[in-house]
Amino acid sequence: MRLTRHSLAAAGAAAALVLLTGCGSDDGGEKVPATATGSLEKIAGQAGCKPNMQMDEDTIRQAICKNSGDKFILATFATDRGQREWLNSAKDYGGYYLVGRKWVAIGKEKTVTALRGQLGGIMEEGSEHMNPGGSHNKGGHHG
């Protein structure tokens, strides 16, 4: 397997993901806005956080965000393909992902669900076999 920036970024996000993820309840019934677009800073602003930059490369920018007491990772990508490759690698580690065009937010299920009410996007779940504590992740999508 060739080690790339995407692989390193996925590994870094996965390590942080272990600290951030867990099961929660679905808020349900919330209207979903049009999916956010723009820079990492613009999307973070829409989510109500000031990003703490962890990686600032040409292909990926990644930050830790905190809003209303919830922490999550926000990453933006230079290309759709780069985003999908990163997401496919990161999802092997389980977790919950809110996916927009060239951006991803990663965190606890309740955090990502709440972010969807601010940022739009599609919820995705990582592999269930890698979630600690027997998580109920099914590795699917939530529209």
Side-chain angles (χ1 to χ4, degrees), residues 10 23 38 42-43 46 74 87 89 94 98 105 111 117 121 143:
C23 291
K42 180 180 176 193
I43 295 167
Q46 285 182 257
L74 181 62
L87 192 55
S89 294
L98 181 62
T111 304

Side-chain angles (χ1 to χ4, degrees), residues 94-108:
Y96 298 90
Y97 302 81
L98 181 62
V99 181
R101 177 125 196 274
K102 296 185 184 176
W103 63 265
V104 175
I106 310 113
K108 293 179 180 178

